[in-house]
Amino acid sequence: MNIIEIENLTYSYPASKKPILKNINLQVEKGDFLAVIGNNGCGKSTFCKTLNGLIPHFITGDFEGSVTVDGLNTLESDVGTLACKAGYVYQDFENQIVRPTVLDDASYACLNYAMEDYKERGREALSLCSLEGREDDYIWQLSGGQTHLLALAGAVSLRPDILILDEPIAQLDPSHADRIYNVLRELNEKHGKTIIVIEHHTEYIADYCKHVMLMKDGSIAWKLPTDEALRRVDELQSCNIFPPQVTVAAHRMEQEGRFSKEQTLPTTVEEGKTVFKSLRYHLPFPCKKPAKGKREPVVEFKDVSIAYRSVKGEDRVIFDRLNLEIHRGEKIALIGSNGAGKSTLMKLMVGLLKPGDGDIMLDGESIRRKKTESLSKKISLVYQNPEEMFIKDSIQADIAYAMQVRNIDNYKERTNELLARFNLTELKNRDGRLLSGGQMRRASLAIGIALNPGILLLDEPTANLDIATRKEIMRTLNDMKEVTETVMIATHDMQLVCEWAERIVVLCQGKVVADGTRDEIFGRRDIVETVGIRPPEIFYMGQALNKKALCYTVDEFLERFKEV
Amino acid sequence: MKMKKKLSENILDKFSIDFLRTQVLKNAYGNDDTVIAALDPRILIVWYLFMGLVPWFVNNLWFLMACFILVLVTTKLARVAGLVLLLFVIGVFTQTGYLLVVSLFFGGNASTVVSLLILTLKVATCSLASITVFSGLDPDRLSNGLMWYGCPERLSFSISYAYRVLPMLMGEFQNILLSFRMRGNPPEHETFAGKVKYLFYQVKVIMHAFYPLMLNTAKRSRTTVEALEIKGYRYAAVNKAVKKMKFSTLKVTYNDLLFLAVSFLWISLSVLASTLA
Amino acid sequence: MQLVKKQTATQSQKLMVFVLTMALYGLATLFTELLPKFQVGFVEFSVEFFLFIPLTLAILFDPLSAALGAATGELVFSEIMLGQFGGLGELEKFLTVTIGVYIAGRMVRNPANRKMVCLASITGTAVQLLMGTIVDIMKVQFAVEDFEAVAGLPESVFATEGFAFLNDLLFSGILFCLLPTMFLVPRLYGKIEPLLGMRPRDEQTGLGGINIKVVIGAVIAFAVAAGAELLASSGTALIEWEADWAESGTALAVGLVTAAVVAVIALIALKYKAGKGEAEQI
């Protein structure tokens, strides 16, 4: 039975002449788990909003064709009725939560639709989304992942048959992401819900989704079963979508003639185990480790303690006597789960937070008595959310600002240089906020290095980006290696860690639990498991084939696993 | 001048927004398990109407003292955040301080002190009563209580939404100010002239900070309003059944009546005392 | 059908503007509430430091939603949240802010017209301040019997209030309302509207300018505001200089009676509600 039927849907937003959705025809079966993929701006989110009636009832515009959801034509039903058929979770989900406490928000919609059992429905939804026991908590007490689950619970409480999620795991660390998808799988399999996700992470699509739909420029290119869809490696890559690393590896082998055409490409590590089982692991030539000379420390944390005031009860201790040394020229990745203290560590270094106890030395001088603005020539921080970096009305003005107020002589030339370097010259008069995700990141990086600081700190530079933009930012970061001496990146993105970092520092509950090269970190199972970090998929593939294998990129995998 | 100096030091440095945020949150949510918070909001609103209005019409010192002590006790019971109390003290002080100047100007005498004391008690009682009710009550219960008395639904929605959005807004505002702080170059503020300059600089920064904040908040509010539509906010506003369901969570218990009775007893005692004196 | 759709669309946009203004202006007034007030003798610098926020938004979007949003934001964030709620007197501020912002918003038909924006923002501020001044003067007039008879009193009141008004308008009004609005409107115009899914205001989409209806509405609202404030402050500070009625028992009696009446009314109302609820359930 088809739960969604769309015929000849064409839609354009009120103020624009070009249609954003063009002649869409689609059937979705009841109980499907569908991933919608496509470039940024191809109309994925708009498409999803036509399913719950927000378009055309709430957002007007030119609407042609028909959308039928569970037998109801969306044009003829109102948003309220449709909300009980299709629940929607936004990408910026925290703005969708409007009540101060958890149970209250989960049951809010039911209350508004005058359902007598609204409290029970709220509770039920919370337990389905594994938020039991948090009913009376306030929203700000939840972690990012829990907040997302709450947004989901708010949608589930109306008991819709369809759930639509816009990039559910973009801001989450791997363990939270797993939790979301496990909840979704349970809703799908045990409760028969039809689930539609907009998703960039093909590894998750491979593991959880049943069908994949590719959108291109407002039309549907195809809808196929997941395996088949992910095997279309060339087509996906041409749309800036990156198939699972396992699939890419096999595809490359196929091109090199190492893989017979008859065999289907694997999409998960499990499939990879059988497909690649004939491969042998070859130890790489032990490359000479660069002699670890005594490197000069640029930042030293000396017994630093800091705690946040909390609303109720005890203060929350973030660091208790933390010690850490950062040396000149290092490229450090700072990893750890949400809330481990990564952002706090960075804010301490730029003087935005003062340590409660202990001291931080920058170039041998204590920063305790220094003003933040005087530090900014030496050390600079780029926020996780680039929108908060834009304080002027054009990116040109934003990049120039710090230099301008410091009366740096050739600040105009330097601004133009930076604009050119980050490929932003054409956009220089635009407001940073109105740029695309990747452009925003590039602009924020340009702002960060405007004063030519010796140390650059980046907080989650690749969060919230689709994979194509992520690759682009990764390239930019690699280019920047020569420009800034010492760089530290806090991130969940293990591909970035593996390809970029020379030293990895693992934070867990305010303590440095591991510190070393990638082999020293990922090679230690205990750390990987206790801290909940996740190496790239290809690393798991290698491990599954040979316990000794430590390969972090597809290139390394192909190099070290050979037929003979 | 001293105040100005203080002000210039305070705005961005010591008086951090983080501190404000925790204080406001503490005030809103940190005291949901107190005696006051457990009372029925409708009863408390009636109580507030009395404590907030009647003292204005009475000039009896005994009576005002009694009212003042009563609200002092309730404020203590409501576990109000320190910052709010500080504001209260400053507020009362400036109000009577201002009046002292006025009364001296008009040629005051010994009785001025007494009348000023009375006035101070009035001002203090009313503010403490409002602090007890509005800070002591959980925002949701407060808004339900107000709605029961016929306040527009929009207002009660605004109250609970305000509490939801405040932590996010403050966080964002703080980060924007930090951006200014990291990249900006404030004037030196060792000398007095520098301090004045610094004050103007800070005011300018705060004003400028609203430009990004406006755009970022606009982005947010679009999602919020769409979500409200999905969640049936507009249906509920015109649906009587929903209102009834909301009100069904309100219940007057013996505690509430007891609270009223005790207050009343205390006040009547003061009346008795004043007639005896 | 088509008509209904249009209606809901604008309603949602109004709600967006309301929510936006409420959040922003509320946050701003929260700060002003926390800053010490400048007070020099008589003259209180009573300017709303952040009035530029609702002014800007009212010029760019639906003026009424922005005006109400601003007033609600102030009420909720700075009065209720901090427990600084002053009772009926707050109504005066609520309404004067609403009127001032609304009038400013209505004046501008095209936000790209800088002169108009400038004129509107200063007018809005002036209207808000002027209403406050009138209410203040009336307060003294009502409170002091034989207002005209006391030698020099009317003059001194008019002089101080008038000075305060001019001072607020010329100093703080220009510094905190006019300049920031002039800074923000052109920068936000055309940028912020798409974020809310709206079309920027221009000559066609703008509401008509100020007309009789607006003026009458504003006057009525102002009358209510003044009435509320006078009611709230009757018996306050200023009455003290006169009153010797404090010593008589009547005042006490009035207090007690009021208390009793309020309590009884509330109890009856509660009982009535409860009874009705049961009856309906059965």
Side-chain angles (χ1 to χ4, degrees):
Chain A
M1 197 187 93
N2 290 332
I3 197 157
I4 295 172
E5 291 193 22
I6 300 176
E7 278 170 30
N8 303 324
L9 170 66
T10 300
Y11 173 77
S12 48
Y13 277 111
S16 87
K17 289 188 188 94
K18 259 188 22 205
I20 181 141
L21 299 178
K22 285 176 227 154
N23 199 22
I24 287 187
N25 285 292
L26 177 73
Q27 282 92 36
V28 179
E29 268 179 41
K30 193 170 162 58
D32 200 357
F33 197 139
L34 176 71
V36 179
I37 55 176
N39 253 333
N40 278 343
C42 72
K44 299 186 300 275
S45 299
T46 313
F47 165 74
C48 287
K49 283 182 187 172
T50 59
L51 297 179
N52 65 352
L54 272 181
I55 294 172
H57 291 290
F58 194 70
I59 306 164
T60 49
D62 294 330
F63 184 95
E64 280 168 46
S66 78
V67 178
T68 316
V69 174
D70 201 10
L72 290 175
N73 186 328
T74 56
L75 257 183
E76 289 154 11
S77 331
D78 55 14
V79 176
T81 322
L82 289 168
C84 302
K85 297 278 175 205
Y88 191 82
V89 180
Y90 283 84
Q91 190 179 2
D92 52 340
F93 54 89
E94 64 267 297
N95 298 322
Q96 141 178 38
I97 292 167
V98 288
R99 305 294 290 178
T101 56
V102 171
L103 178 60
D104 210 13
D105 192 77
S107 56
Y108 185 59
C110 302
L111 173 66
N112 280 336
Y113 291 120
M115 299 173 183
E116 288 290 341
D117 57 343
Y118 68 99
K119 283 247 156 104
E120 287 75 60
R121 279 169 174 260
R123 271 180 224 284
E124 179 197 291
L126 288 177
S127 82
L128 281 178
C129 299
S130 65
L131 279 175
E132 280 155 319
R134 308 299 304 254
E135 283 87 355
D136 296 323
D137 283 2
Y138 293 110
I139 307 299
W140 40 262
Q141 291 172 315
L142 302 181
S143 68
Q146 287 167 335
T147 315
H148 195 279
L149 285 170
L150 176 60
L152 179 61
V156 167
S157 67
L158 286 169
R159 296 182 188 154
D161 286 325
I162 306 165
L163 287 166
I164 305 159
L165 294 95
D166 196 344
E167 305 211 16
I169 58 170
Q171 304 180 32
L172 304 178
D173 64 34
S175 64
H176 280 102
D178 283 356
R179 215 169 129 195
I180 296 265
Y181 265 100
N182 286 332
V183 166
L184 289 178
R185 174 182 276 166
E186 193 170 305
L187 285 167
N188 177 251
E189 287 174 0
K190 282 207 189 135
H191 302 274
K193 311 269 185 211
T194 308
I195 293 178
I196 300 175
V197 286
I198 298 177
E199 186 57 85
H200 292 302
H201 297 84
T202 43
E203 288 89 355
Y204 281 90
I205 295 179
D207 282 345
Y208 292 93
C209 298
K210 293 177 184 164
H211 285 93
V212 178
M213 176 177 115
L214 175 69
M215 286 187 74
K216 261 187 203 168
D217 299 325
S219 321
I220 297 177
W222 40 254
K223 189 189 125 195
L224 292 169
T226 303
D227 283 354
E228 212 176 306
L230 294 179
R231 283 185 199 122
R232 300 196 165 195
V233 175
D234 291 322
E235 187 175 6
L236 291 178
Q237 282 180 336
S238 75
C239 296
N240 280 325
I241 295 156
F242 292 81
Q245 285 180 316
V246 179
T247 320
V248 174
H251 181 72
R252 294 252 304 264
M253 287 169 74
E254 191 182 78
Q255 283 173 329
E256 290 166 19
R258 289 163 61 187
F259 194 82
S260 83
K261 293 242 181 212
E262 283 96 68
Q263 247 181 316
T264 50
L265 298 176
T267 54
T268 59
V269 174
E270 274 311 307
E271 288 174 29
K273 274 188 200 165
T274 46
V275 174
F276 293 133
K277 68 172 180 283
S278 59
L279 299 181
R280 286 285 129 75
Y281 180 62
H282 299 265
L283 265 178
F285 292 109
C287 52
K288 263 190 191 163
K289 276 194 179 174
K292 264 195 183 171
K294 253 278 187 214
R295 277 173 143 184
E296 173 193 2
V298 280
V299 182
E300 291 166 86
F301 282 76
K302 288 186 174 166
D303 290 327
V304 171
S305 302
I306 186 169
Y308 284 132
R309 296 183 202 94
S310 69
V311 172
K312 257 184 183 175
E314 300 274 293
D315 287 356
R316 206 158 63 91
V317 177
I318 304 293
F319 295 129
D320 184 20
R321 306 179 141 275
L322 177 89
N323 285 294
L324 183 68
E325 257 184 35
I326 295 166
H327 307 106
R328 190 175 301 285
E330 279 185 324
K331 310 285 181 254
I332 304 175
L334 185 65
I335 60 178
S337 59
N338 289 345
K342 300 191 293 292
S343 299
T344 309
L345 187 94
M346 294 191 152
K347 283 190 175 167
L348 279 168
M349 281 159 78
V350 289
L352 292 178
L353 290 173
K354 299 276 177 223
D357 213 11
D359 210 349
I360 298 165
M361 313 294 268
L362 179 66
D363 283 339
E365 281 177 280
S366 165
I367 63 167
R368 215 166 232 289
R369 307 226 155 268
K370 293 225 171 175
K371 292 190 194 105
T372 315
E373 54 269 15
S374 67
L375 292 176
S376 53
K377 278 200 149 182
K378 289 187 179 165
I379 188 165
S380 160
L381 166 68
V382 175
Y383 292 155
Q384 174 173 5
N385 183 0
E387 292 174 14
E388 285 158 356
M389 301 276 297
F390 302 128
I391 49 182
K392 294 278 161 185
D393 61 346
S394 71
I395 50 172
Q396 184 177 29
D398 258 321
I399 295 171
Y401 179 71
M403 296 186 278
Q404 199 178 351
V405 293
R406 282 176 179 73
N407 292 320
I408 290 175
D409 293 332
N410 54 346
Y411 80 89
K412 277 190 185 146
E413 288 87 64
R414 172 132 174 92
T415 306
N416 288 335
E417 226 175 84
L418 282 167
L419 282 168
R421 172 172 198 103
F422 288 92
N423 207 0
L424 294 165
T425 310
E426 278 166 29
L427 307 164
K428 65 180 182 185
N429 292 322
R430 299 265 301 273
D431 190 289
R433 265 162 290 273
L434 308 178
L435 301 176
S436 75
Q439 295 164 340
M440 252 198 248
R441 287 287 167 186
R442 291 205 310 260
S444 71
L445 291 176
I447 295 169
I449 64 164
L451 287 176
N452 225 343
I455 308 165
L456 180 64
L457 309 175
L458 306 170
D459 199 351
E460 300 278 3
T462 57
N464 275 337
L465 296 180
D466 65 58
I467 307 219
T469 323
R470 232 171 79 193
K471 297 252 161 176
E472 178 197 318
I473 295 297
M474 246 140 86
R475 258 201 314 278
T476 316
L477 290 174
N478 276 325
D479 287 351
M480 278 167 65
K481 272 189 176 171
E482 306 111 52
V483 186
T484 33
E485 263 188 335
T486 316
V487 185
M488 182 188 240
I489 294 182
T491 187
H492 295 309
D493 182 347
M494 293 305 147
Q495 286 194 26
L496 172 67
V497 173
C498 293
E499 288 172 30
W500 176 88
E502 292 161 7
R503 175 183 168 196
I504 302 171
V505 175
V506 187
L507 275 184
C508 182
Q509 294 170 344
K511 294 215 158 44
V512 176
V513 290
D515 185 347
T517 63
R518 60 187 193 184
D519 289 350
E520 285 162 13
I521 303 291
F522 293 119
R524 279 177 56 188
R525 223 150 244 273
D526 55 324
I527 288 179
V528 172
E529 271 159 27
T530 49
V531 185
I533 48 176
R534 168 141 347 137
E537 188 182 40
I538 200 73
F539 180 84
Y540 281 117
M541 191 66 250
Q543 291 265 298
L545 296 172
N546 188 325
K547 285 269 173 271
K548 271 185 254 153
L550 297 170
C551 33
Y552 304 93
T553 59
V554 174
D555 288 331
E556 285 173 3
F557 179 85
L558 292 176
E559 234 167 69
R560 293 180 197 167
F561 281 93
K562 294 267 162 75
E563 284 77 4
V564 236
Chain B
M1 283 302 114
K2 205 177 167 193
M3 190 177 80
K4 240 183 200 168
K5 245 190 218 172
K6 253 228 156 96
L7 194 65
S8 72
E9 281 170 16
N10 272 345
I11 298 181
L12 288 182
D13 302 344
K14 308 226 170 69
F15 216 43
S16 74
I17 296 190
D18 195 44
F19 171 72
L20 284 186
R21 191 174 108 160
T22 29
Q23 285 287 311
V24 172
L25 284 177
K26 241 184 189 159
N27 196 40
Y29 297 123
N31 46 13
D32 56 354
D33 46 1
T34 61
V35 186
I36 299 294
L39 291 174
D40 186 278
R42 294 163 298 179
I43 296 286
L44 265 182
I45 290 169
V46 172
W47 180 85
Y48 166 69
L49 284 180
F50 179 86
M51 299 310 292
L53 274 182
V54 174
W56 286 117
F57 298 99
V58 182
N59 286 326
N60 183 293
L61 205 55
W62 285 88
F63 177 83
L64 289 173
M65 259 315 198
C67 287
F68 178 67
I69 291 171
L70 179 66
V71 291
L72 211 58
V73 173
T74 55
T75 311
K76 175 87 186 110
L77 284 179
R79 254 195 277 137
V80 175
L83 179 70
V84 174
L85 290 179
L86 181 76
L87 280 179
F88 156 77
V89 172
I90 292 176
V92 169
F93 179 79
T94 53
Q95 264 172 300
T96 45
Y98 159 73
L99 281 163
L100 187 67
V101 174
V102 172
S103 68
L104 284 175
F105 191 77
F106 278 94
N109 50 37
S111 67
T112 323
V113 181
V114 179
S115 65
L116 266 182
L117 181 62
I118 286 179
L119 193 66
T120 314
L121 284 176
K122 285 180 179 187
V123 172
T125 308
C126 291
S127 337
L128 280 182
S130 79
I131 287 175
T132 303
V133 174
F134 294 112
S135 303
L137 265 181
D138 172 28
D140 258 1
R141 288 172 63 81
L142 173 67
S143 62
N144 276 348
L146 286 173
M147 208 154 78
W148 193 86
Y149 284 107
C151 275
E153 204 278 339
R154 187 63 74 88
L155 178 70
S156 65
F157 163 75
S158 302
I159 293 176
S160 29
Y161 178 68
Y163 278 90
R164 158 76 189 109
V165 79
L166 185 77
M168 288 194 319
L169 267 183
M170 278 202 163
E172 189 146 336
F173 191 58
Q174 189 180 15
N175 278 340
I176 291 170
L177 285 183
L178 290 180
S179 281
F180 273 102
R181 224 172 112 183
M182 274 196 303
R183 282 148 61 195
N185 190 21
E188 289 297 319
H189 45 280
E190 304 308 320
T191 61
F192 177 72
K195 285 212 156 90
V196 174
K197 255 193 202 160
Y198 188 49
L199 175 68
F200 276 97
Y201 172 79
Q202 288 183 322
V203 170
K204 210 176 102 188
V205 163
I206 289 181
M207 300 261 167
H208 280 256
F210 272 92
Y211 167 74
L213 192 66
M214 273 182 176
L215 286 167
N216 293 352
T217 317
K219 267 190 180 175
R220 280 179 194 287
S221 49
R222 184 167 186 190
T223 306
T224 303
V225 172
E226 279 185 22
L228 280 174
E229 176 72 17
I230 299 175
K231 293 190 177 192
Y233 167 68
R234 264 190 318 116
Y235 296 77
V238 291
N239 192 338
K240 288 226 171 70
V242 176
K243 258 189 191 169
K244 242 178 78 185
M245 280 162 63
K246 279 189 186 164
F247 295 150
S248 70
T249 55
L250 301 176
K251 266 208 185 84
V252 178
T253 61
Y254 287 114
N255 276 344
D256 301 307
L257 297 175
L258 203 65
F259 176 73
L260 279 188
V262 169
S263 304
F264 197 74
L265 182 67
W266 175 248
I267 302 292
S268 343
L269 276 177
S270 76
V271 174
L272 190 67
S274 74
T275 48
L276 289 177
Chain C
M1 186 72 198
Q2 205 55 38
L3 196 82
V4 175
K5 249 189 230 162
K6 239 183 179 164
Q7 188 67 33
T8 48
T10 50
Q11 261 190 12
S12 72
Q13 291 174 348
K14 280 179 181 168
L15 185 61
M16 268 185 236
V17 175
F18 179 86
V19 167
L20 178 64
T21 327
M22 181 190 81
L24 286 171
Y25 191 55
L27 181 74
T29 52
L30 194 72
F31 292 125
T32 30
E33 195 71 33
L34 297 172
L35 298 177
K37 296 242 169 7
F38 292 91
Q39 215 161 15
V40 185
F42 285 110
V43 186
E44 188 185 344
F45 287 78
S46 60
V47 72
E48 305 286 337
F49 287 104
F50 290 100
L51 202 63
F52 71 88
I53 295 168
L55 284 174
T56 306
L57 293 171
I59 287 169
L60 294 171
F61 299 113
D62 176 51
L64 189 62
S65 308
L68 285 174
T72 314
E74 178 163 19
L75 183 72
V76 169
F77 278 79
S78 78
E79 316 291 341
I80 293 182
M81 255 190 197
L82 292 178
Q84 309 290 310
F85 189 69
L88 207 50
E90 301 296 347
L91 194 61
E92 183 229 19
K93 215 196 241 161
F94 187 95
L95 287 171
T96 53
V97 167
T98 310
I99 296 169
V101 172
Y102 180 64
I103 286 181
R106 278 304 283 264
M107 280 173 71
V108 179
R109 293 182 63 180
N110 178 7
N113 182 347
R114 283 180 152 241
K115 269 189 209 141
M116 223 33 222
V117 173
C118 173
L119 188 65
S121 58
I122 201 72
T123 313
T125 317
V127 167
Q128 198 257 335
L129 286 171
L130 187 67
M131 286 186 292
T133 309
I134 295 174
V135 171
D136 280 350
I137 293 176
M138 288 202 301
K139 266 199 282 196
V140 183
Q141 244 171 352
F142 277 91
V144 184
E145 283 171 44
D146 311 321
F147 178 71
E148 305 290 331
V150 181
L153 183 60
E155 285 82 355
S156 71
V157 168
F158 284 129
T160 51
E161 289 292 342
F163 173 72
F165 170 73
L166 279 180
N167 178 70
D168 281 356
L169 184 64
L170 294 180
F171 177 69
S172 325
I174 289 178
L175 211 57
F176 296 113
C177 298
L178 177 70
L179 292 179
T181 313
M182 293 295 293
F183 170 79
L184 283 172
V185 171
R187 276 176 178 71
L188 290 172
Y189 182 56
K191 263 187 210 164
I192 197 169
E193 294 91 346
L195 291 179
L196 295 181
M198 295 179 202
R199 267 179 62 183
R201 182 195 290 192
D202 52 30
E203 301 282 354
Q204 280 92 48
T205 52
L207 295 162
I210 308 282
N211 54 26
I212 295 292
K213 251 165 77 184
V214 177
V215 173
I216 293 176
V219 168
I220 293 175
F222 173 61
V224 174
E229 178 62 21
L230 291 177
L231 206 64
S233 60
S234 61
T236 57
L238 291 161
I239 224 163
E240 236 47 45
W241 298 315
E242 289 296 301
D244 51 2
W245 56 280
E247 272 118 61
S248 68
T250 28
L252 206 61
V254 169
L256 272 181
V257 171
T258 325
V261 169
V262 170
V264 168
I265 289 175
L267 281 173
I268 291 173
L270 284 175
K271 218 176 156 185
Y272 177 69
K273 276 251 167 176
K276 206 173 88 178
E278 271 172 28
E280 271 177 21
Q281 267 173 19
I282 295 161

